[in-house]
């Protein structure tokens, strides 16, 4: 699962991981693992919607060699504890962090007079993910490292996921 603040590279990371032949990526934010994440107030007591994940995987053409699936909704970071409890040792969580100055300057596409993310939201979202920084099933990766030190970053991610770095990843555009 991927989580992080909006505008931090969650979509880029999902796209990158989807190029791995053993990973089936769900191509949109399901919010199944972070119920109420986009409500005015996050309610962490709400159950995860595992059935929605199953439906998404059934609806997408899954290559036979895919053994893993990946979902990214940025606010998954607020539910890392529930995700870890639900999936146990089988889950790996990637928290992607981007420099807050770049995140908060991103213009909202529906209203060019507004920024997408407030500084307070960036702080809250990043702190939620960093609370798990030392957890062995959580990897924190910097967006800037992913784009500037691509091979090193992708190798680190693959080691964490216990996957080989494939040609598909190395040749990612």
């Amino acid at each position: 699962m991927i989580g992080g603040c909006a505008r931090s590279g969650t979509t880029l990371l999902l796209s990158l991981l989807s190029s791995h032949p053993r990973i089936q990526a769900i191509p949109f934010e399901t919010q199944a693992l972070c119920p109420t994440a986009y409500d005015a107030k996050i309610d962490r007591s709400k159950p995860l919607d595992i059935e929605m994940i199953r439906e998404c995987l059934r609806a997408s053409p899954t290559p036979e060699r895919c053994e893993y699936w990946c979902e990214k909704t940025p606010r998954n970071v607020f539910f890392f504890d529930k995700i870890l409890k639900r999936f146990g040792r089988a889950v790996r969580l990637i928290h992607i962090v981007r420099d807050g100055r770049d995140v908060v300057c991103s213009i909202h596409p529906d209203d060019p007079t507004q920024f997408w993310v407030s500084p307070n939201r960036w702080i809250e979202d990043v702190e939620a993910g960093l609370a798990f920084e030392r957890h062995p099933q959580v990897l924190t990766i910097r967006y800037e490292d992913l784009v500037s030190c691509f091979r090193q970053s992708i190798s680190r991610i693959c080691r964490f996921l216990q996957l080989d770095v494939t040609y598909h990843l190395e040749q990612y555009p």
Side-chain angles (χ1 to χ4, degrees), residues 70-85:
C70 183
E71 195 278 347
K72 80 96 183 170
T73 302
R75 287 212 153 169
N76 282 341
V77 294
F78 287 98
F79 293 83
F80 275 5
D81 56 343
K82 288 186 87 157
I83 295 169
L84 286 162
K85 285 178 188 162

Side-chain angles (χ1 to χ4, degrees), residues 3-5 77 80 93-97 125-126 129-130 138-141:
C5 187
V77 294
F80 275 5
L93 305 171
I94 301 177
H95 175 217
I96 187 161
V97 178
D125 290 6
V126 170
L130 290 178
V138 179
L139 175 66
T140 299
I141 189 110

Side-chain angles (χ1 to χ4, degrees), residues 62-171:
T62 305
E64 293 172 10
R65 64 185 177 273
C66 285
E67 302 167 50
Y68 306 101
W69 57 270
C70 183
E71 195 278 347
K72 80 96 183 170
T73 302
R75 287 212 153 169
N76 282 341
V77 294
F78 287 98
F79 293 83
F80 275 5
D81 56 343
K82 288 186 87 157
I83 295 169
L84 286 162
K85 285 178 188 162
R86 170 59 179 86
F87 292 100
R89 298 181 137 192
V91 72
R92 296 292 177 271
L93 305 171
I94 301 177
H95 175 217
I96 187 161
V97 178
R98 186 176 186 184
D99 187 310
R101 295 169 293 186
D102 293 322
V103 172
V104 301
C105 289
S106 183
I107 301 295
H108 199 288
D110 296 334
D111 184 355
T113 66
Q114 298 291 315
F115 293 109
W116 191 295
V117 175
S118 71
N120 285 341
R121 178 175 170 193
W122 181 83
I123 291 167
E124 290 170 3
D125 290 6
V126 170
E127 284 179 347
L130 290 178
F132 294 87
E133 187 173 29
R134 298 200 186 280
H135 194 286
Q137 291 170 244
V138 179
L139 175 66
T140 299
I141 189 110
R142 292 183 61 243
Y143 170 86
E144 293 79 9
D145 292 341
L146 185 60
V147 296
S148 66
C149 306
F150 179 76
R151 289 189 191 277
Q152 181 182 355
S153 296
I154 202 62
S155 293
R156 183 173 171 224
I157 291 168
C158 285
R159 274 193 311 276
F160 173 72
L161 298 175
Q162 299 177 338
L163 293 170
D164 294 330
V165 176
T166 66
Y167 166 83
H168 310 86
L169 290 170
E170 289 177 334
Q171 298 305 311

